[in-house]
């Protein structure tokens, strides 16, 4: 069988799972036309830089930290919330770099993470059956029928919110905020007074002393760029293919196509069908890409994925993000690691310890136990140690706010406290304290 040539539109020849039913095709077409004339959000050269950084991860020389919201919100959009999310990710990266002695590649689930795959097309709210919320790029989460109608103008709004978010991230990470001399300032007040905040302060103090020591030895720290800026990359699930297609551009230097909506995009557990539209789209863009793998993924599926998405076996091109669940990881992960290792595919293996561990609490809120998250991470590290492969990274859902969405952790959030500050528009996220605690545990696993 000879496959039809790839183009940014060729996904349309394949069945596309999880696409909204837009009420007006002409309106959608107009929106896509507009999007395709707007400036790219990222540049091909930046995406190539991330591929090179991830090549180091696939070779066991670096670690990937991919983190951010489950779903970004049009409603919760402010400089403070972006800054606070960035702070936590920078803190986690410091803990990992200092604690485990490996460079950390920092990738946010941010500046474009606006679309959600859903298990059912409708949900019951009281006695009303409503279309499910599919992310602010598609519809609104308010529980009434009108809010749930997909509106293509939301694609444009998502583009603009992504652009302003990215602009601020670039300013923060290149303009002094991420300077290593600022490590103390990243510790937020409500975190600083906690056990994990004090542990972090200790590392920050040691970094300060190391910097003073080097400076006293006559080393010119001012001209050392890597102490003053960080590379921070963006990523999201490439779910709504019309949006991703419209932001795909041909690179003038190489002639290759890049999805310029983010540096990295991934395909989810519900859209990774072998002959599906999502794999078709991802196979032709040259960005670094990811694929989620749940407990039903077979070794055959994964090898087929590797061949389809990275036939040239480019290191850093493909990240496999496993999300097996704490109970399944010990059985489900080893056969996949062995198959990919034996086939010689140079992948990044990352652990998403969130999505296999979600359940509804007694009050009906979706939540996750911090202990289950740690248990899956431990299972991930053990499986890699046994397979002789590199546990390359973690992929987590978090926020910089003091939310009560996941159970347990040092603050020991209980089921009857979930309602106190439960603000996520989709899945439950780690709060800043839980996230920093998690980074200490991961650093220990990496060392150990
Ligand atoms: C997600 O990352 O928010 C998500 C929906 O994950 P998965 O595809 O692994 O279920
Ligand atoms: Co999620």
């Amino acid at each position: 069988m000879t496959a039809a040539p790839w183009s940014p539109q060729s996904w349309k020849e394949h069945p596309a799972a999880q696409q909204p039913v837009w009420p007006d095709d002409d309106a959608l077409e107009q929106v896509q036309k507009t999007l395709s004339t707007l400036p790219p959000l990222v540049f091909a050269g930046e995406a190539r830089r991330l591929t090179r950084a991830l090549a180091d991860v696939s070779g066991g020389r670096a670690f990937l930290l991919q983190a951010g919201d489950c779903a970004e919100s049009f409603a919760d959009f402010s400089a403070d919330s972006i800054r606070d999310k960035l702070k936590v990710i920078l803190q986690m990266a410091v803990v990992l770099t200092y604690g485990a002695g490996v460079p950390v590649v920092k990738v946010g689930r941010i500046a474009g993470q606006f679309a959600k795959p859903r298990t059912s097309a409708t949900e019951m709210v009281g006695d009303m059956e409503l279309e499910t919320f599919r992310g602010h790029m598609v519809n609104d989460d308010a529980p009434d029928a009108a809010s749930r109608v997909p509106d293509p103008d939301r694609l444009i709004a998502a583009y603009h919110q992504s652009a302003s978010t990215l602009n601020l991230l670039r300013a923060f990470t290149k303009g002094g905020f991420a300077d290593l001399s600022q490590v103390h300032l990243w510790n937020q007040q409500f975190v600083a007074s906690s056990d994990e905040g004090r542990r972090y302060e200790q590392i920050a103090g040691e970094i300060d002393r190391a910097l003073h020591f080097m400076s006293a030895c006559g080393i010119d720290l001012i001209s050392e760029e890597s102490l003053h800026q960080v590379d921070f990359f963006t990523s999201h699930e490439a779910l709504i293919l019309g949006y991703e297609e419209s932001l795909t551009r041909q690179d003038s230097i190489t002639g290759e196509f890049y999805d310029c909506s983010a540096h990295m995009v991934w395909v989810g557990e519900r859209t990774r069908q072998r002959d599906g539209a999502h794999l078709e789209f991802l196979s032709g863009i040259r960005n670094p890409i990811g694929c989620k793998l749940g407990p039903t993924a077979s070794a055959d599926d994964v090898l087929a994925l590797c061949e389809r998405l990275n036939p040239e076996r480019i290191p850093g091109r493909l990240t496999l993000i496993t999300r097996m669940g704490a109970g399944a990881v010990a059985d489900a992960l080893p056969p996949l690691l062995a198959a990919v290792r034996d086939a010689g595919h140079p992948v990044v293996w990352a652990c998403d310890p969130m999505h296999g561990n979600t359940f509804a609490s007694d009050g009906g809120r979706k939540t996750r136990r911090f202990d289950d998250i740690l248990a899956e991470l431990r299972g991930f590290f053990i499986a890699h140690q046994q397979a002789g492969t590199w546990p390359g990274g973690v992929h987590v859902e978090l926020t910089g706010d003091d939310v009560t969405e996941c159970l347990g952790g040092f603050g020991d959030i209980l089921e009857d406290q979930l309602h106190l500050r439960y603000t996520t528009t989709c899945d439950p996220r780690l709060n800043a304290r839980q996230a920093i605690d998690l980074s200490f545990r991961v650093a220990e696993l990496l060392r150990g």
Side-chain angles (χ1 to χ4, degrees):
M1 189 181 82
T2 49
W6 185 90
S7 76
Q9 303 85 41
S10 59
W11 63 270
K12 291 185 176 154
E13 308 302 316
H14 299 253
Q18 296 280 344
Q19 301 306 289
V21 182
W22 303 101
D24 177 349
D25 286 341
D26 292 340
L28 176 65
E29 198 179 316
Q30 271 314 315
V31 161
Q32 284 200 223
K33 253 194 203 135
T34 304
L35 282 172
S36 64
T37 63
L38 293 172
L41 295 174
V42 304
F43 295 100
E46 296 176 311
R48 284 193 285 272
R49 191 175 164 102
L50 177 57
T51 301
R52 286 196 297 274
L54 290 171
D56 283 340
V57 179
S58 81
R61 300 179 296 277
F63 192 74
L64 167 66
L65 172 61
Q66 190 170 16
D69 266 310
C70 178
E72 287 174 272
S73 164
F74 285 1
D76 170 29
F77 174 43
S78 68
D80 286 357
S81 76
I82 297 166
R83 181 202 58 204
D84 291 345
K85 234 170 285 172
L86 178 66
K87 274 184 175 177
V88 182
I89 297 173
L90 291 175
Q91 279 187 285
M92 291 177 81
V94 160
V95 170
L96 287 164
T97 312
Y98 196 84
V102 289
V104 174
V105 181
K106 295 166 270 301
V107 181
R109 283 176 65 115
I110 199 165
Q113 177 53 24
F114 289 108
K116 298 313 299 172
R118 300 316 296 256
T119 308
S120 338
T122 61
E123 66 171 330
M124 293 304 296
V125 177
D127 53 8
M128 285 183 303
E129 188 177 12
L130 297 176
E131 282 191 57
T132 43
F133 170 56
R134 291 182 179 275
H136 280 164
M137 180 185 268
V138 176
N139 56 8
D140 192 58
D141 51 310
D144 61 83
S147 300
R148 297 294 173 89
V149 177
D151 174 0
D153 284 339
R154 288 178 166 270
L155 298 175
I156 307 254
Y159 166 88
H160 287 297
Q161 185 164 323
S162 301
S164 352
T165 303
L166 189 54
N167 182 53
L168 195 61
L169 288 171
R170 288 187 196 280
F172 279 142
T173 54
K174 301 294 177 189
F177 182 78
D179 193 300
L180 213 47
S181 65
Q182 308 286 313
V183 273
H184 294 284
L185 291 183
W186 307 337
N187 212 357
Q188 298 194 65
Q189 235 161 15
F190 74 91
V191 179
S193 56
S194 67
D195 284 350
E196 45 291 23
R198 281 190 288 271
R199 252 183 117 182
Y200 172 81
E201 272 306 316
Q202 211 171 346
I203 291 186
E206 285 169 28
I207 291 173
D208 265 354
R209 277 195 295 283
L211 290 175
H212 281 131
F213 173 73
M214 286 191 284
S215 170
C217 291
I219 298 170
D220 178 10
L221 301 183
I222 292 176
S223 62
E224 187 47 62
E225 213 177 75
S226 60
L227 296 176
H228 310 298
Q229 305 189 346
V230 300
D231 279 338
F232 186 84
F233 299 96
T234 61
S235 71
H236 62 259
E237 178 172 351
L239 184 72
I240 307 299
L241 291 170
Y243 177 81
E244 304 301 334
E245 171 198 327
S246 304
L247 284 167
T248 297
R249 308 280 191 270
Q250 196 165 14
D251 175 30
S252 57
I253 299 173
T254 61
E256 292 166 335
F257 285 94
Y258 284 82
D259 180 349
C260 295
S261 69
H263 298 110
M264 175 183 187
V265 288
W266 76 85
V267 65
E269 169 68 0
R270 294 165 191 77
T271 49
R272 59 172 171 79
Q273 298 81 8
R274 277 192 206 192
D275 297 316
H278 291 82
L279 287 205
E280 169 66 12
F281 178 75
L282 256 64
S283 72
I285 55 167
R286 301 298 283 191
N287 307 57
I289 54 179
C291 181
K292 294 284 198 90
L293 297 174
T296 60
S298 68
D300 263 6
D301 290 337
V302 178
L303 290 179
L305 268 167
C306 292
E307 281 303 322
R308 178 105 165 89
L309 296 177
N310 193 16
E312 296 161 76
R313 303 186 174 214
I314 299 166
R317 153 85 176 154
L318 179 60
T319 296
L320 297 177
I321 307 158
T322 61
R323 28 88 86 222
M324 300 299 180
V329 61
D331 290 329
L333 186 55
L336 309 188
L337 300 184
V340 173
R341 176 198 64 204
D342 295 345
H345 274 286
V347 303
V348 169
W349 287 107
C351 176
D352 164 0
M354 315 293 292
H355 288 88
N357 296 309
T358 317
F359 67 97
S361 70
D362 285 344
R365 287 180 197 275
K366 269 205 273 183
T367 188
R368 292 156 173 161
R369 284 183 216 289
F370 192 72
D371 285 347
D372 292 341
I373 292 169
L374 289 184
E376 177 156 0
L377 278 165
R378 268 194 301 275
F380 173 82
F381 275 84
I382 292 170
H384 278 281
Q385 192 184 24
Q386 287 169 350
T389 45
W390 173 242
V394 290
H395 179 120
V396 292
E397 291 182 340
L398 55 73
T399 165
D401 302 336
D402 189 15
V403 299
T404 51
E405 297 173 6
C406 292
L407 299 168
F410 259 128
D412 206 12
I413 296 169
L414 307 171
E415 287 216 25
D416 63 4
Q417 297 172 324
L418 285 178
H419 71 281
L420 292 176
R421 290 178 302 282
Y422 192 98
T423 58
T424 184
T425 38
C426 195
D427 288 341
R429 304 158 296 175
L430 299 172
N431 62 33
R433 290 180 56 184
Q434 290 168 325
I436 291 160
D437 188 4
L438 184 97
S439 64
F440 278 108
R441 315 288 186 117
V442 172
E444 277 159 23
L445 289 166
L446 263 169
R447 274 201 309 266

